[in-house]
């Protein structure tokens, strides 16, 4: 954990937000050595932050003891170079337990995922996240998706809650997000509040989210193709829409179409990509399953096409 506030460190970042996979060994247990290598490679490649044990990191599959070990390994491996944010979820009591474990492990902040299974009203959701934010001294980003979707009024209340610094949107309703941004602009004009595009393969909607002022996003691609993710991040940030659109057409859209072919591919396909890069991180834990060989071949071809496009632009000297 570093002394600088998480919100300040994430306000203007020079690289993608890195969501590492959790590595497992041949016996199915957590492989901390492989996880450390994965985190180190991401930081060295230019990650702006490490979000450990979140969706891509199979938070749902980790015991509390494993969770603490993995978060601590991320903190030790980054050594303060970039902030480490840990996932926290399930019902309020368990979410608080995970939050405290993350704080003990040295994390800089929390990504608060939706409550387990239940569909709550806005008052219940607000109570859940208020309790979670009060449980530790860690700054908290609330993850909107699935059964945790907020009205603009609830987001205003969350923003007024000590410790809550931002909203990550994995729901994808741009009309709702525009209304949230507008409500915050008029209701709390002097408060800095962070917004993140948290959709799977967020790059695909990066141009649309940029249009409503949301530039921070989670990058699952960075976990297995950091070179492609970095070029896209720079293109998006600089307004180089020609290059961004070329990568969307020849890499990201095919990747999303492949991702749609299997359940759980937002995790298992990413993990397969990391293995294709030469790092033995193991397979996903049940109930997720591995992609078949044909889909791995498609993923290999998509990555190759993305890198061929980067080489083309470099050869032409236009980027």
């Amino acid at each position: 954990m570093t002394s600088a506030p998480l919100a300040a460190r994430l306000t203007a970042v020079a690289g993608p937000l890195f969501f590492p996979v959790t590595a497992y060994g041949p016996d199915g247990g957590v492989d901390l050595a492989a996880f450390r290598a994965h985190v180190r490679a991401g930081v060295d490649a230019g990650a702006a932050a490490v979000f450990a044990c979140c969706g891509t990191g199979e938070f749902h599959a980790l015991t509390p003891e494993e969770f603490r070990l993995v978060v601590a390994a991320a903190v030790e491996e980054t050594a303060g170079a970039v902030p480490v944010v840990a996932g926290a979820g399930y019902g309020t009591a368990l979410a608080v337990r995970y939050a405290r474990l993350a704080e003990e492990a040295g994390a800089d902040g929390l990504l608060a995922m939706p409550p387990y299974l239940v569909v709550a009203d806005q008052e219940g959701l607000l109570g859940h996240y208020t309790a979670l934010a009060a449980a530790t001294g860690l700054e908290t980003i609330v993850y909107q998706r699935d059964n945790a979707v907020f009205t603009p009024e609830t987001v205003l209340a969350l923003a007024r809650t000590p410790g809550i610094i931002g909203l990550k949107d994995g729901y994808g309703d741009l009309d709702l997000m525009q209304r949230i941004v507008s409500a915050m602009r008029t209701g709390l004009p002097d408060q800095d509040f962070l917004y993140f595009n948290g959709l799977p393969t967020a790059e695909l909607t990066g141009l649309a989210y940029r249009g409503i002022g949301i530039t921070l996003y989670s990058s699952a691609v960075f976990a297995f193709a950091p070179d492609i993710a970095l070029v896209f991040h720079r293109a998006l940030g600089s307004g180089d829409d020609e290059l961004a659109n070329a990568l969307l057409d020849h890499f990201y859209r095919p990747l999303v179409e492949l991702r749609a072919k299997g359940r759980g591919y937002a995790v298992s396909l990413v993990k397969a990509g990391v293995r294709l890069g030469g790092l033995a991180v193991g397979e996903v834990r049940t109930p997720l399953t591995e992609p078949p060989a044909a889909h791995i071949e498609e993923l290999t071809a998509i990555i190759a096409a993305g890198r061929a496009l980067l080489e083309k632009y470099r050869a032409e000297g236009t980027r």
Side-chain angles (χ1 to χ4, degrees):
M1 185 173 182
T2 57
S3 57
L6 176 65
R9 299 182 78 187
L10 292 178
T11 297
V13 298
L17 306 179
F18 175 30
F19 286 68
V21 302
T22 298
Y24 305 125
D27 64 352
V30 169
D31 185 338
L32 291 177
F35 176 75
R36 285 175 177 275
H38 184 39
V39 169
R40 172 49 50 195
V43 173
D44 290 346
V50 172
F51 284 68
C53 301
C54 295
T56 308
E58 297 181 77
F59 171 80
H60 70 277
L62 298 172
T63 67
E65 295 76 17
E66 290 173 328
F67 170 87
R68 191 189 188 287
L69 288 172
V70 174
V71 173
V75 170
E76 292 167 6
E77 203 60 37
T78 57
V82 299
V84 173
V85 179
Y90 302 120
T92 306
L94 267 179
V96 165
R97 182 182 178 190
Y98 277 95
R100 289 173 175 161
L101 288 171
E103 187 172 42
E104 291 171 11
D108 296 282
L110 300 172
L111 177 63
M113 291 179 281
Y116 174 71
L117 197 59
V118 296
V119 178
D121 59 20
Q122 295 294 294
E123 181 183 358
L125 290 171
L126 182 58
H128 171 77
Y129 292 107
T130 299
L132 180 57
T136 73
L138 299 179
E139 293 170 277
T140 300
I141 300 161
V142 174
Y143 196 176
Q144 170 169 265
R145 58 175 293 174
D146 301 323
N147 59 326
V149 178
F150 309 104
T151 64
E153 294 74 23
T154 300
V155 176
L156 280 167
L158 288 170
R160 293 188 182 102
T161 302
I164 295 180
I165 64 168
L167 178 71
K168 180 183 178 186
D169 179 48
Y171 187 58
D173 184 338
L174 284 174
D175 176 272
L176 174 61
M177 284 307 300
Q178 179 64 84
R179 288 187 287 115
I180 287 171
V181 170
S182 175
M184 285 291 299
R185 208 163 40 225
T186 56
L188 292 172
D190 298 323
Q191 182 166 331
D192 292 327
F193 194 69
L194 301 178
Y195 303 97
F196 304 78
N197 174 359
L199 289 170
T201 317
E203 288 92 340
L204 193 73
T205 52
L207 291 168
Y209 274 79
R210 189 183 69 183
I212 60 173
I214 299 174
T215 57
L216 293 168
Y217 63 89
S218 55
S219 178
V221 168
F222 187 85
F224 65 89
D227 49 344
I228 298 173
L230 278 167
V231 169
F232 182 88
H233 185 271
R234 290 167 185 157
L236 189 65
S238 66
D240 188 348
D241 290 356
E242 179 188 340
L243 178 53
N245 280 322
L247 285 167
L248 288 172
D249 293 345
H250 300 287
F251 174 76
Y252 285 104
R253 178 174 58 82
L255 178 64
V256 168
E257 290 172 348
L258 174 58
R259 190 192 70 212
K261 293 181 179 181
R263 290 191 177 274
Y265 273 19
V267 178
S268 61
L269 204 64
V270 172
K271 205 160 196 180
V274 176
R275 293 196 303 268
L276 287 174
L279 185 59
V281 292
E283 298 184 348
V284 291
R285 283 180 171 174
T286 55
L288 297 181
T289 56
E290 287 296 311
H295 289 174
I296 301 297
E297 291 176 8
E298 285 188 56
L299 178 60
T300 302
I302 290 167
I303 296 170
R307 289 184 170 141
L309 182 63
L310 297 190
E311 287 302 317
K312 174 180 176 291
Y313 274 93
R314 291 188 185 112
E316 292 175 352
T318 57
R319 299 295 187 280

